[in-house]
Amino acid sequence: MSSRPMWTHGEGHPVSAVAHAPDPTGLYRIRDGVYAADLLLAAVTEFDLFTRLAARGPVTVADACALLGLAARPADVLFTLCAAHGLVDRDVAGGDVVTVTDLGRCHLTAGSPLDLRAYYGSLSERPAVAELAHVLRTDEQAAWGSAKPGATAQDADWSGRLGDVAFAERITSAMDARGAYLAPRLAAAVDDVAVGALLDVGGSSGIYATALLDAAPDARGTVFERAPVDVAARTLIESRGHADRLDVVTGDMFTDPLPTGYDVHLFSQVLHDWDRPRVEHLLRSSFEALAPGGTLLDHDTHVAADKRGPLPVAEYSVLLMHSTPGKCWSVGELTEIAEGVGFVGIEHRPTAADRGVLIARKPA
């Protein structure tokens, strides 16, 4: 008899999927890192980054931006990627100084006998290279998935396109598929967090809230989502048989106050879509609405506090930089923001597939 796991068919869920499924981390990385190589190509071919920085010696990221004509957010993503590849050394604690390493000097600078810039230049006509060069210069997000030329600004904008029912359903289904493996592992990582009433902010399909409620049989929950994603969320929650414990409240997390009466707030892969002012807004709104003594959970792909990696997260951050106003936020940045709005006791725990959960508490 085969030792392979058995799977159900049709509308059923995989049998023992969480416990016995092969680790799909590599598959997540292929999808999430799809733009990373193009960013490095842009840095080499459009900006000759390593030649120019090597000539200057150690330089702050801010000064590098001025030298190369880079905007701050995409430059931060670029230098995290370069540091993760060992092409620059990045010293955040020492004033955010970057220095080209021997690897970068030997293979990506003019005059080196082992210069690979021409080799990289042979792929400089890839469309995403031009898109990322534009983002680096302007901080203007490119079209989601490199939408076809001729798309309107509204069609190209990731957040604006969520108003289209078909696009919202497609994105919600994508996030639901991503969460099937990740959600139970998030629940396992926070099994010591008491959950009475859970608010899943920007919770898409509600798959992460479902997993947390499965681990806390007496708890109830709410997904707070904008239209028309709220419709898809209700359908998926009902299909899982959780409609009696998990409801959906329609609202905009940026313009509407968060519902009160919850002791746990969950942001799952939400903050990485937004710039710092909106991340600060969301964490402040959470702090104000959360019950005293309550817990904030930020489940996401987090850059290390030193901004030198890890490499898969640095690569995923490029996709977010390309298509959203956000990036993968570092543990240090999120800790600073969370403490700034009043949260305490902040810690970070790994979950699965390069994800982790930042846990913060509101004082009682």
Side-chain angles (χ1 to χ4, degrees):
M1 181 178 294
S2 171
S3 61
R4 294 173 61 190
M6 299 298 293
W7 308 95
T8 59
H9 298 279
E11 296 181 356
H13 294 286
V15 177
S16 302
V18 175
H20 303 296
D23 185 350
T25 298
L27 297 176
Y28 283 84
R29 290 174 178 174
I30 291 169
R31 184 268 186 193
D32 294 345
V34 69
Y35 283 103
D38 289 302
L39 181 62
L40 192 54
L41 286 167
V44 173
T45 64
E46 295 285 332
F47 297 91
D48 200 9
L49 182 145
F50 300 98
T51 299
R52 298 172 71 185
L53 290 188
R56 289 287 297 269
V59 62
T60 66
V61 168
D63 286 343
C65 288
L67 173 67
L68 300 168
L70 305 176
R73 176 189 68 110
D76 180 56
V77 173
L78 171 61
F79 285 119
T80 294
L81 180 69
C82 291
H85 276 298
L87 296 168
V88 302
D89 180 59
R90 186 171 188 180
D91 182 7
V92 174
D96 208 3
V97 174
V98 292
T99 307
V100 178
T101 64
D102 289 343
L103 179 65
R105 286 177 177 273
C106 185
H107 297 294
L108 293 173
T109 61
S112 168
L114 298 176
D115 180 7
L116 289 172
R117 291 178 307 141
Y119 192 49
Y120 272 58
S122 67
L123 292 177
S124 63
E125 294 179 348
R126 286 173 54 82
V129 173
E131 291 174 357
L132 286 160
H134 181 76
V135 176
L136 283 167
R137 292 187 175 101
T138 66
D139 201 21
E140 296 174 357
Q141 67 193 77
W144 178 260
S146 299
K148 296 178 181 178
T152 66
Q154 182 176 0
D155 287 339
D157 174 61
W158 162 83
S159 180
R161 288 187 69 187
L162 286 177
D164 175 72
V165 173
F167 184 78
E169 289 179 348
R170 187 163 74 248
I171 289 293
T172 303
S173 295
M175 301 305 100
D176 193 63
R178 175 177 65 182
Y181 178 81
L182 299 175
R185 285 160 172 79
L186 167 63
V190 296
D191 61 356
D192 59 330
V193 175
V195 181
L198 169 71
L199 181 66
D200 188 359
V201 184
S204 189
S205 71
I207 194 165
Y208 297 97
T210 297
L212 291 176
L213 294 184
D214 282 342
D218 296 328
R220 63 177 179 85
T222 296
V223 173
F224 188 68
E225 256 301 358
R226 60 187 282 191
V229 179
D230 59 336
V231 176
R234 289 187 182 94
T235 300
L236 289 165
I237 290 168
E238 184 174 358
S239 72
R240 294 193 187 97
H242 284 74
D244 58 332
R245 299 179 58 206
L246 183 62
D247 63 357
V248 179
V249 171
T250 303
D252 188 315
M253 62 188 180
F254 292 116
T255 60
D256 298 321
L258 297 181
T260 58
Y262 299 88
D263 58 4
V264 175
H265 283 183
L266 172 65
F267 291 88
S268 185
Q269 296 166 116
V270 170
L271 300 183
H272 69 207
D273 289 328
W274 304 106
D275 54 23
R276 184 169 180 128
R278 281 179 279 195
V279 170
E280 292 177 345
H281 172 87
L282 291 174
L283 294 190
R284 184 174 293 107
S285 295
S286 173
F287 185 83
E288 292 171 353
L290 190 62
T295 302
L296 167 71
L297 303 175
D298 173 45
H299 173 238
D300 217 322
T301 41
H302 298 116
V303 168
D306 63 9
K307 292 192 175 182
R308 297 178 181 179
L311 180 57
V313 179
E315 291 179 333
Y316 185 28
S317 195
V318 179
L319 184 156
L320 298 167
M321 179 202 85
H322 171 276
S323 307
T324 79
K327 63 176 185 176
C328 290
W329 292 92
S330 75
V331 172
E333 289 169 319
L334 291 174
T335 297
E336 178 185 8
I337 296 170
E339 289 179 341
V341 302
F343 285 104
V344 297
I346 299 170
E347 62 173 305
H348 184 266
R349 301 176 185 176
T351 56
D354 305 311
R355 271 73 177 171
V357 57
L358 194 81
I359 304 173
R361 294 174 177 84
K362 180 175 178 176

